[in-house]
């Protein structure tokens, strides 16, 4: 009976395959975590995207990195949980809803808080899940059963508990303080929600007259409208120009208010005139000076950015309209001195996109120092958390050292309403700065507290403000696990193992999580913080809405598939924390980077089809473990286990990009391009059965192994192939994501074997390249001469001679020592043995002795002759001595002598070996690999003249390009005026063209 051979379709359909597995994984709760599961816990919480958001390339990058880690550790046997969720994004949602209301001709005050919040929840349920659905398309292995939202019941309970604990400990307080006010959203914003922007503005100079009429002082400001709230002018007490004026008073122009001249060291004598106006209610530095000198705090601005009654005739005007009118009035009054152009930094609201206004406001604050100091203690004494890359540790630490108290109240309705109730019956029915308040878990508890102090008739009103969203997201690592209850999830998965996030929210989020966690749990919320870089555009620029250079990942997913995009984003990481650059054609919405990864997916698919078609319907388990018999078998197993070891090591140390690149090189190069090609002949039906079985076993084992290795990076295609390869049943199949990650067998790793086989590969590659350069047709077999002085190299290429002939299409292969070939006997003759060499030596000595005896006899016979006898004896003895030294003590000469007089029966009779005929220079092409000279005779293989003409034509073209580029770079005008990147690109192009010309000239010379 013929075995059923599992088969993959001829083409890989990414979209249907990915959708199928995403649905299967979620419906079958493959990634549902269990606190009782064996294995070391491994937990990551998703950096919660705003519920208003949609998937952008940064989300895709971050999610791909996290999912790679999570899938890897799950396959390593750890008890893995990845918690998904979203943030309620107070300001963003409220902005959306208020725009909708405005379009309907109404506003939030008209509809009321209750109806407004009903509308907000309706919007969240209908539209707020957009980004969650888009994240599903990335195939992330989160536990969707544990999805959280910062306004859900559990997290709201955690926020309430945290607020009350901090309040009761004296770490939350209510105070009138200068805050960053966003007139667009009409809410306070934190320092972290302020984006400094450099703008081209002005510096206005005007005179403040001394009240006694003795003169004036000149001040300079970038915000002239705020002079309406001035309560002093300050100078540096050490400034000799103004020392005598300290203590005197000025008359404030327009307002005619008398204000003092004060001395304060904060004033920079070099700024402007050295005199600065002081507006304590509208500038952070002035606020501090106002407190030091007991100055009045006059607020001149409403919360919507218009001026109030304290601005006199400018009441009701927008702040920027008022600026122009104040300048006009100062000019009309003759006190405007000059206007200078001035580039300076203006703080903008990150949400409202308008300049913030420092504004005195009664707000709720967290006393941050005790929390920050505790967090610093963890960092300094326990290196907790550990940052990867380590350089971010200093940034994080410096921020904790310099923190100011945190304003946590926001003048919004969508969010966690502050759990404080005011006894408005005590202040005329309104909430004022002095209205008594009661912090409680609910209104009933607050009423009991108020009743005890003010009696049964007391009337309460809850604070209308909500908490900063960063307050709730600061609790995210433990509130999502059930805190303040000690749930099984909290007991098992807290602290989290790793936080993966961008460097841009170390201050916004990371520091707040560590401070909150240190205070409420006594532990840092995660062991490691892996800081990733940014995805930059095709011009290596940071993506932003204002630059309109973002890339929609869904377009790339639709075109190339999820796995291709994920793999590209991870593979491009050159090191932990590094930015990546994504090649992108905006006109076509195409990316050559992602296309290359799609091609990689297709390569894996086609190789898998080939392997499965040659396994006779057997699975890797059925085929069993291989016992390698050929050099190529040992080499591929060696390389495989080297890559297994390397991949594990890289991922364990957050080298995700390096791991991805290493897998690419092994799968595409070693496995597909080399081993599969080498074993094709062994898979034929008429091949040796033992060799065929071993080849099948190795192909099956390595294919399954690389599918497991690659799964964290490309989960969909690997799952699809693995299911077919292992012949999983349609019902209740095992899942690749839950299999064990490969472990290296170090006994199979042999660096010497790798070096040996790499020489063979390089030799084959060199011959192939020479064939291509000489335009040798693919089907034509050639002659190749390999010459090396290294005995080791000659031995290696001799061992792999069949591989070279097979893969390089070589019919006749000659391997020689630097161009000389000595024919070797087929079997080792006796006279090559050490016994024969001993016999030859004894024979040589005997011959020499006989020769000496004869010579002496002849000499003695001639002794009777006068003079001649003595001379003959002397010469004979001298020659005998020379003969002994020449042939007895010199091994090579001894071999030559015996080869001449006692030649072996099957050895050449000539003393000198025949040199291998070297191809004529004009009829060959050559290259070098290691110290091996590769020479391919071309006579009869290609038309030399046609090849020469082709090379000359190419050379002429390249030389023309060299001339053109050189001319541009020799033009001083071009070098000085062209953009630096254009000049750089031109230099690089010239260098490349010159190199091409050099290669072409060498090829022509070889012909």
């Amino acid at each position: 009976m013929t075995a059923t051979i599992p088969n993959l379709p001829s083409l890989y359909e990414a979209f249907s395959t990915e959708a199928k597995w995403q649905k299967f994984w979620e419906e079958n709760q493959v990634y549902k975590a269990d606190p009782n599961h064996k294995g070391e816990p491994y937990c990551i919480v998703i950096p919660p995207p705003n519920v208003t958001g949609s998937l952008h390339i940064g989300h895709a990058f971050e999610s791909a990195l996290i999912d790679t880690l999570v899938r890897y550790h799950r396959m390593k046997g750890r008890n893995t949980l990845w918690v998904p969720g979203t943030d309620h994004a107070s300001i963003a949602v409220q902005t959306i809803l208020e725009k909708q209301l405005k379009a309907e001709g109404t506003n939030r005050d008209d509809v009321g808080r209750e109806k407004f919040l009903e509308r907000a929840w309706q919007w969240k349920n209908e539209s707020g899940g957009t980004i969650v659905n888009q994240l599903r398309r990335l195939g992330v292995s989160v536990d969707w059963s544990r999805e959280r939202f910062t306004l859900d019941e559990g997290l709201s309970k955690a926020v309430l508990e945290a607020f009350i604990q901090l309040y009761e400990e004296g770490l939350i307080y209510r105070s009138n303080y200068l805050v960053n006010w966003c007139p667009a959203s009409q809410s306070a914003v934190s320092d972290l929600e302020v984006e400094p922007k450099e703008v081209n503005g002005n510096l206005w100079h005007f005179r403040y007259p001394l009240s006694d009429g003795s003169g004036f002082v000149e001040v300079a400001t970038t915000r002239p409208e705020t002079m309406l709230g001035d309560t002093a002018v300050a100078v540096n007490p050490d400034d000799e120009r103004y020392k005598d004026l300290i203590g005197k008073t000025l008359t404030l122009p327009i307002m005619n208010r008398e204000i003092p001249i004060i001395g304060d060291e904060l004033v920079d004598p070099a700024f402007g005139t050295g005199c600065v106006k002081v507006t304590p209610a509208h500038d952070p530095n002035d606020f501090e000076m106002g407190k030091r000198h007991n100055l009045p705090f006059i607020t001149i601005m409403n919360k919507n950015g218009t001026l109030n009654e304290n601005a006199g005739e400018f009441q009701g005007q927008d702040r920027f309209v008022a600026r122009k009118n104040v300048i006009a009035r100062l000019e009309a009054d003759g006190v405007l001195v000059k206007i200078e152009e001035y580039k300076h930094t203006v703080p903008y609201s990150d949400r409202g996109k308008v300049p913030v206004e420092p504004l005195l406001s009664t707000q709720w604050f967290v006393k941050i120092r005790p929390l920050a100091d505790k967090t610093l203690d963890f960092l300094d004494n326990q290196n907790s958390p550990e940052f990867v890359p380590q350089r971010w540790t200093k940034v994080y630490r410096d921020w904790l050292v310099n923190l100011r108290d945190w304003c946590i109240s926001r003048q919004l309705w969508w969010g966690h309403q502050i759990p404080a109730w005011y006894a408005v019956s005590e202040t005329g029915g309104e909430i004022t700065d002095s209205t008594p308040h009661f912090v409680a878990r609910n209104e009933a508890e607050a009423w009991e507290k108020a009743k005890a102090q003010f009696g049964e008739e007391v009337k309460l009103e809850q604070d209308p403000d909500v908490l900063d969203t960063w307050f709730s997201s600061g609790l995210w690592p433990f509130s999502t696990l059930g805190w303040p209850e000690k749930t099984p999830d909290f007991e098992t998965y807290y602290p989290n193992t790793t936080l993966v996030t961008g460097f841009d929210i170390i201050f916004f989020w990371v520091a707040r999580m560590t401070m909150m966690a240190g205070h409420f749990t006594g532990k840092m919320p995660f062991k490691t913080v892996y800081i990733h870089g940014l995805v930059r555009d095709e011009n290596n620029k940071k993506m932003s809405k204002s630059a309109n250079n973002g890339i929609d990942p869904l377009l790339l997913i639709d075109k190339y598939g999820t796995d291709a995009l994920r793999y590209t984003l991870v593979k491009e990481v050159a090191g932990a924390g590094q930015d990546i650059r994504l090649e992108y054609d905006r006109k076509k919405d195409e990316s050559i980077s992602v296309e290359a990864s799609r091609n990689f997916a297709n390569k894996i698919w086609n190789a898998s089809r080939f392997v499965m078609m040659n396994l006779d319907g057997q699975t890797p388990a059925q085929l069993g473990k291989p016992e390698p018999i050929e050099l190529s078998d040992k080499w591929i197993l060696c390389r495989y286990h080297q890559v297994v070891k390397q991949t594990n090591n890289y991922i364990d140390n957050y080298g995700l990009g390096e791991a991805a690149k290493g897998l690419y090189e092994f799968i595409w190069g070693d496995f597909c391009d080399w081993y599969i090609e080498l074993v094709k002949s062994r898979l034929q039906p008429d091949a040796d059965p033992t060799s065929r079985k071993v080849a099948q076993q190795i192909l099956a084992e390595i294919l399954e192994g690389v599918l497991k290795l690659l799964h964290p990076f490309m989960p969909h295609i690997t799952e699809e192939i693995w299911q077919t390869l292992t012949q999983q049943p349609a019902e209740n199949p095992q899942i690749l994501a839950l299999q064990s990650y490969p472990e290296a067998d170090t006994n199979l790793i042999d660096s010497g074997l790798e070096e040996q086989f790499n020489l063979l590969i390089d030799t084959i590659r060199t011959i192939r390249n020479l064939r291509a350069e000489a335009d040798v047709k693919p089907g034509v077999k050639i002659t190749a001469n390999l010459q090396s002085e290294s005995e080791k190299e000659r031995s290696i290429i001799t061992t792999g001679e069949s591989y070279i002939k097979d893969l390089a299409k070589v019919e006749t292969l000659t391997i020689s020592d630097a161009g000389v070939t000595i024919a070797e006997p087929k079997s080792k003759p006796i006279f090559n043995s050490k016994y024969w060499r001993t016999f030859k030596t004894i024979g040589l000595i005997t011959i020499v002795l006989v020769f000496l005896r004869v010579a002496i006899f002849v000499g003695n016979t001639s002794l009777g002759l006068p003079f001649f006898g003595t001379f003959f004896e002397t010469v004979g003895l001298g020659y005998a001595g020379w003969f002994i030294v020449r042939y007895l003590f010199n091994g090579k000469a001894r071999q030559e002598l015996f080869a001449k007089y006692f030649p072996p029966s099957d050895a050449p009779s000539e003393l000198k070996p025949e040199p291998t005929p070297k191809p004529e220079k004009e009829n060959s092409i050559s290259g070098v690999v290691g110290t091996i000279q590769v020479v391919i005779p071309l006579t009869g293989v290609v038309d030399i003249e046609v090849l020469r003409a082709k090379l000359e034509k190419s050379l002429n073209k390249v030389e023309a390009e060299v001339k053109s580029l050189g001319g541009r770079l020799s033009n001083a005008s071009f070098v000085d005026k062209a953009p630096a990147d254009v000049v750089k690109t031109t230099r690089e192009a010239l260098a490349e063209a010159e190199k091409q010309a050099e290669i072409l000239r060498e090829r022509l010379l070889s012909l």
Side-chain angles (χ1 to χ4, degrees):
M1 181 176 177
T2 305
T4 302
I5 298 178
N7 196 18
L8 295 170
S10 58
L11 294 175
Y12 174 53
E13 293 289 344
F15 315 108
S16 58
T17 301
E18 290 169 353
K20 176 181 74 174
W21 286 112
Q22 288 162 11
K23 181 180 179 182
F24 180 91
W25 293 329
E26 187 169 347
E27 287 182 350
N28 290 275
Q29 295 190 324
V30 171
Y31 307 122
K32 184 176 176 63
D34 180 359
N36 298 314
H37 191 278
K38 64 179 181 179
E40 178 188 354
Y42 184 88
C43 180
I44 285 183
V45 294
I46 194 172
N50 288 341
V51 72
T52 57
S54 60
L55 191 67
H56 60 65
I57 202 70
H59 290 130
F61 178 44
E62 186 170 77
S63 296
L65 293 172
I66 297 175
D67 199 42
T68 299
L69 289 171
V70 169
R71 288 181 180 274
Y72 168 76
H73 286 286
R74 185 182 292 113
M75 294 179 75
K76 294 289 282 187
R78 297 185 173 98
N79 185 356
T80 305
L81 169 62
W82 183 6
V83 181
T86 49
D87 187 270
H88 60 279
S90 292
I91 296 176
V93 171
Q94 187 138 333
T95 300
I96 291 171
L97 296 177
E98 289 186 342
K99 285 181 179 178
Q100 291 178 356
L101 291 171
K102 185 177 181 180
E104 297 168 11
T106 184
N107 57 55
R108 64 169 170 160
D109 293 319
D110 290 340
V111 300
R113 186 173 193 133
E114 185 176 346
K115 292 292 184 183
F116 182 85
L117 292 179
E118 286 179 7
R119 187 168 182 144
W121 278 105
Q122 181 182 355
W123 177 88
K124 191 267 177 186
N125 294 332
E126 293 175 358
S127 305
T130 299
I131 194 166
V132 172
N133 293 328
Q134 291 172 338
L135 284 171
R136 282 180 160 93
R137 287 202 65 187
L138 288 173
V140 292
S141 60
V142 301
D143 182 350
W144 288 110
S145 70
R146 285 175 165 83
E147 182 181 354
R148 305 308 301 267
F149 177 53
T150 46
L151 285 181
D152 68 28
E153 183 179 352
L155 267 69
S156 295
K157 180 180 179 181
V159 169
L160 179 62
E161 187 63 31
F163 187 97
I164 289 173
Q165 281 191 38
L166 290 172
Y167 179 79
E168 290 177 349
E169 293 167 2
L171 297 177
I172 282 183
Y173 63 94
R174 184 171 181 258
S175 177
N176 191 25
Y177 204 78
L178 197 69
V179 298
N180 299 305
W181 187 264
C182 172
S185 60
Q186 295 194 39
S187 173
V189 295
S190 73
D191 291 342
L192 295 174
E193 294 167 305
V194 173
E195 179 184 0
K197 292 186 179 180
E198 192 171 64
V199 299
N200 293 317
N202 296 103
L203 192 63
W204 286 272
H205 294 249
F206 40 89
R207 299 188 182 106
Y208 284 12
L210 289 162
S211 299
D212 60 9
S214 60
F216 59 84
V217 297
E218 184 178 320
V219 300
T221 181
T222 59
R223 300 163 65 217
E225 70 281 4
T226 60
M227 58 86 59
L228 303 172
D230 284 358
T231 55
V233 165
V235 298
N236 192 291
D238 296 325
D239 192 334
E240 295 294 337
R241 294 172 295 175
Y242 305 115
K243 266 187 176 181
D244 295 341
L245 295 179
I246 295 173
K248 293 189 175 183
T249 62
L250 301 163
T251 301
L252 183 65
I254 301 178
M255 305 305 293
N256 294 319
R257 183 168 60 243
E258 196 167 325
I259 59 176
I261 299 175
I262 60 174
D264 196 288
E265 292 180 351
L266 185 65
V267 178
D268 179 5
F271 175 77
T273 62
C275 297
V276 296
K277 52 190 288 305
V278 181
T279 319
H282 291 280
D283 183 90
N285 292 329
D286 294 3
F287 178 80
E288 298 299 329
M289 282 196 281
K291 289 194 296 182
R292 282 196 293 273
H293 297 274
N294 296 315
L295 299 175
F297 287 69
I298 301 174
T299 300
I300 63 163
M301 198 167 295
N302 297 312
K303 292 181 177 180
N304 63 358
T306 60
L307 271 58
N308 64 19
E309 66 278 5
N310 292 328
E313 65 187 80
F314 305 100
Q315 181 180 357
Q317 296 180 11
D318 177 82
R319 54 182 170 159
F320 298 116
V321 173
R323 176 175 297 177
K324 295 178 182 179
N325 292 334
V326 166
I327 293 167
R329 172 67 187 275
L330 291 172
E331 185 175 21
D333 290 348
V335 295
L336 180 66
V337 178
K338 62 179 178 179
I339 303 173
E340 294 179 325
E341 291 184 355
Y342 185 65
K343 182 176 285 189
H344 63 121
T345 300
V346 174
Y348 273 70
S349 167
D350 186 54
R351 290 295 184 188
K353 307 304 179 186
V354 298
V356 298
E357 192 65 42
L359 194 68
L360 269 180
S361 180
T362 300
Q363 302 286 344
W364 290 89
F365 294 86
V366 172
K367 192 177 292 183
I368 211 70
R369 199 67 262 146
L371 277 66
D373 288 343
K374 189 170 186 178
T375 306
L376 281 167
D377 184 63
F378 274 102
L379 182 67
D380 293 341
N381 295 314
Q382 301 178 37
N383 191 31
S384 180
E386 182 179 356
F387 279 78
V388 178
Q390 192 176 6
R391 66 178 181 273
W392 291 108
T393 305
K394 185 179 185 304
V395 176
Y396 165 75
R397 190 185 191 285
D398 289 348
W399 179 257
L400 289 172
V401 168
N402 296 307
L403 277 175
R404 297 189 302 177
D405 285 1
W406 172 19
C407 175
I408 57 172
S409 49
R410 299 291 182 267
Q411 288 62 55
L412 305 167
W413 285 355
W414 173 249
H416 295 102
Q417 192 169 356
I418 291 174
W421 282 262
Y422 296 89
V424 292
S425 54
E426 306 305 306
T427 53
E430 293 184 356
I431 298 175
T432 68
D433 291 352
S434 59
T435 304
H437 63 269
F438 303 90
V439 170
R441 288 174 175 80
N442 51 54
E443 187 173 7
E445 183 183 322
W447 191 80
E448 289 295 330
K449 291 181 178 180
K451 183 178 69 171
Q453 184 172 346
F454 297 111
E456 295 277 352
E457 301 303 316
V458 66
K459 291 184 179 180
L460 298 180
E461 185 176 324
Q462 188 174 358
D463 195 312
D465 292 350
V466 299
L467 288 169
D468 177 13
T469 54
W470 294 109
F471 188 92
S472 54
S473 58
L475 308 174
W476 185 256
F478 48 98
S479 64
T480 53
L481 299 176
W483 184 89
E485 305 298 329
K486 291 194 174 181
T487 63
D489 276 5
F490 180 78
E491 295 286 350
T492 302
Y493 297 112
Y494 185 82
N496 306 161
T497 313
T498 305
L499 173 72
V500 180
T501 190
F503 64 83
D504 49 338
I505 58 172
I506 289 177
F507 317 126
F508 282 94
W509 191 41
V510 179
R512 282 169 175 159
M513 285 189 288
T514 55
M515 288 189 292
M516 291 290 214
H519 185 77
F520 290 116
T521 73
K523 300 176 182 177
M524 286 295 94
F526 19 74
K527 297 173 185 175
T528 305
V529 182
Y530 172 44
I531 300 294
H532 61 72
L534 302 174
V535 183
R536 294 186 175 272
D537 70 6
E538 63 278 14
N539 298 311
N540 205 34
K541 293 182 179 178
K542 181 180 177 181
M543 295 184 193
S544 67
K545 290 182 180 179
S546 58
N548 195 30
N549 64 337
I551 298 174
D552 184 353
L554 294 177
L555 287 175
L556 296 173
I557 288 175
D558 289 339
K559 189 177 289 285
Y560 303 109
T562 297
D563 280 347
L565 177 62
R566 285 173 51 131
Y567 184 74
T568 301
L569 293 173
V570 176
K571 184 170 74 75
E572 291 298 318
V573 179
Q578 296 301 306
D579 291 350
I580 69 170
R581 177 180 174 183
L582 188 61
E583 294 291 345
Y584 188 62
D585 186 333
R586 295 186 180 276
K587 293 180 180 178
K588 298 179 181 179
D589 287 325
E590 294 177 350
S591 169
I592 58 173
S593 303
V594 187
E595 183 179 4
S597 295
R598 184 194 61 187
N599 295 341
F600 179 46
N602 290 335
K603 182 80 169 180
I604 297 166
W605 185 265
N606 292 330
S608 300
R609 287 188 74 242
F610 172 82
V611 170
M612 282 186 267
M613 289 168 62
N614 286 279
L615 297 183
D616 299 331
Q618 298 179 86
T619 66
Q622 291 167 343
L623 284 164
K625 295 289 290 184
E627 289 291 339
I629 58 176
E630 288 204 14
L631 178 65
S632 60
D633 299 337
K634 296 174 183 177
W635 167 74
I636 195 65
L637 287 172
C638 168
R639 282 292 302 126
Y640 168 70
H641 285 282
Q642 182 68 43
V643 167
V644 170
K645 179 182 177 182
Q646 171 184 293
T647 304
N648 277 270
N649 182 62
Y650 275 138
I651 300 179
D652 285 339
N653 292 283
Y654 298 94
L656 304 185
E658 292 87 344
K661 284 189 277 286
L663 288 173
Y664 180 97
E665 291 163 2
F666 173 76
I667 295 169
W668 192 304
D670 297 338
F671 186 55
C672 295
D673 285 355
W674 292 107
Y675 187 72
I676 287 179
E677 292 301 316
L678 284 168
V679 300
K680 280 183 176 178
S681 60
R682 295 166 61 189
L683 297 171
Q684 299 303 313
D686 58 351
D688 175 69
T690 302
S691 178
R692 186 171 188 269
K693 178 68 177 291
V694 170
Q696 289 176 323
Q697 290 173 322
I698 292 176
L699 286 171
E701 178 175 291
I702 292 183
L703 177 58
E704 183 176 17
V706 296
L707 292 174
K708 291 177 179 178
L709 288 170
L710 193 60
H711 179 74
F713 302 89
M714 303 179 84
H716 305 89
I717 188 172
T718 51
E719 185 78 74
E720 179 74 11
I721 297 172
W722 185 84
Q723 292 287 326
T724 307
L725 175 67
T726 57
Q727 301 179 40
Q728 293 297 315
E731 296 295 327
N732 300 317
Q734 293 187 48
I735 301 300
L736 174 58
L738 302 181
Q739 302 306 302
S740 296
Y741 206 71
E743 295 288 343
D745 183 347
T746 54
N747 293 322
L748 295 176
I749 298 174
D750 182 346
S751 59
L753 177 61
E754 283 197 60
E755 181 184 352
Q756 180 179 353
F757 214 84
N758 286 340
L759 180 63
L760 290 174
I761 289 175
D762 290 341
T763 302
I764 294 167
R765 187 180 287 120
T766 300
I767 296 174
R768 285 174 167 178
N769 291 341
L770 292 173
R771 287 178 60 110
E773 290 170 12
D775 273 350
V776 178
K777 293 180 180 178
V780 174
K781 290 203 169 185
I782 61 169
T783 294
N785 302 316
L786 306 180
Q787 304 163 4
S788 174
E789 294 181 356
S790 167
E791 183 178 351
K792 179 181 178 182
E793 288 186 341
R794 293 197 306 275
S795 175
I796 291 170
I797 58 179
T798 299
T799 304
E801 182 175 350
S802 61
Y803 300 146
I804 297 172
K805 285 184 172 182
D806 187 20
L807 296 188
K809 296 288 194 311
V810 175
E811 185 170 26
T812 303
L813 181 66
T814 304
I815 302 169
S816 64
D817 177 359
V820 175
T821 299
I822 301 176
E824 296 183 1
K826 295 180 180 178
S827 60
K828 189 173 182 180
I830 190 170
F831 44 79
N832 276 342
S833 68
K834 62 181 180 179
Y835 305 109
W836 178 243
R837 289 197 299 272
T838 303
F839 176 74
K840 288 192 296 184
T841 303
I842 294 171
L844 179 61
I845 294 172
T846 301
I847 292 169
V848 170
L849 290 175
V850 171
F851 182 84
L852 283 173
R853 184 71 183 88
V854 172
I856 292 168
F857 174 78
V858 173
N860 288 336
T861 304
S862 306
L863 287 178
L865 300 175
F867 176 75
F868 179 79
T870 305
F871 172 79
F872 183 82
E873 183 178 46
T874 303
V875 171
L877 288 171
Y879 181 82
W882 171 84
F883 189 93
I884 291 171
V885 173
R886 172 68 175 84
Y887 288 105
L888 180 60
F889 298 111
N890 187 297
K892 187 174 181 181
R894 194 165 60 244
Q895 287 179 345
E896 290 176 355
L897 178 66
F898 272 85
K900 182 175 182 180
Y901 293 101
F902 302 94
S905 58
D906 55 352
S909 59
E910 293 295 326
L911 179 62
K912 291 187 177 180
E914 288 289 340
T916 300
K918 293 185 180 180
E920 293 296 326
K921 184 178 179 181
E922 64 270 22
N923 293 328
S924 69
I925 189 168
S926 63
V928 177
V929 53
T931 64
I932 299 172
Q933 177 81 5
V934 181
V935 181
I936 299 176
L938 298 179
T939 302
V941 178
V942 295
D943 188 323
I944 302 297
E945 293 307 316
V946 171
L947 177 58
R948 181 181 284 112
K950 181 180 178 181
L951 292 174
E952 287 174 345
K953 183 178 179 181
S954 298
L955 179 59
N956 290 336
K957 182 178 179 181
V958 173
E959 286 179 334
E961 184 179 0
V962 169
K963 184 177 179 181
S964 173
L965 293 170
R968 293 178 69 187
L969 290 170
S970 63
N971 185 339
S973 179
F974 168 77
V975 174
D976 294 339
K977 296 180 180 179
D981 57 336
V982 173
V983 176
K984 180 183 176 184
T985 301
T986 306
R987 293 189 193 280
E988 291 171 351
L990 175 61
E992 179 64 26
E994 288 174 338
K995 183 64 176 176
Q996 289 178 10
E998 181 183 349
I999 293 171
L1000 288 168
R1001 291 189 194 101
E1002 288 177 358
R1003 294 298 175 220
L1004 280 167
L1005 283 173
S1006 72
L1007 295 178

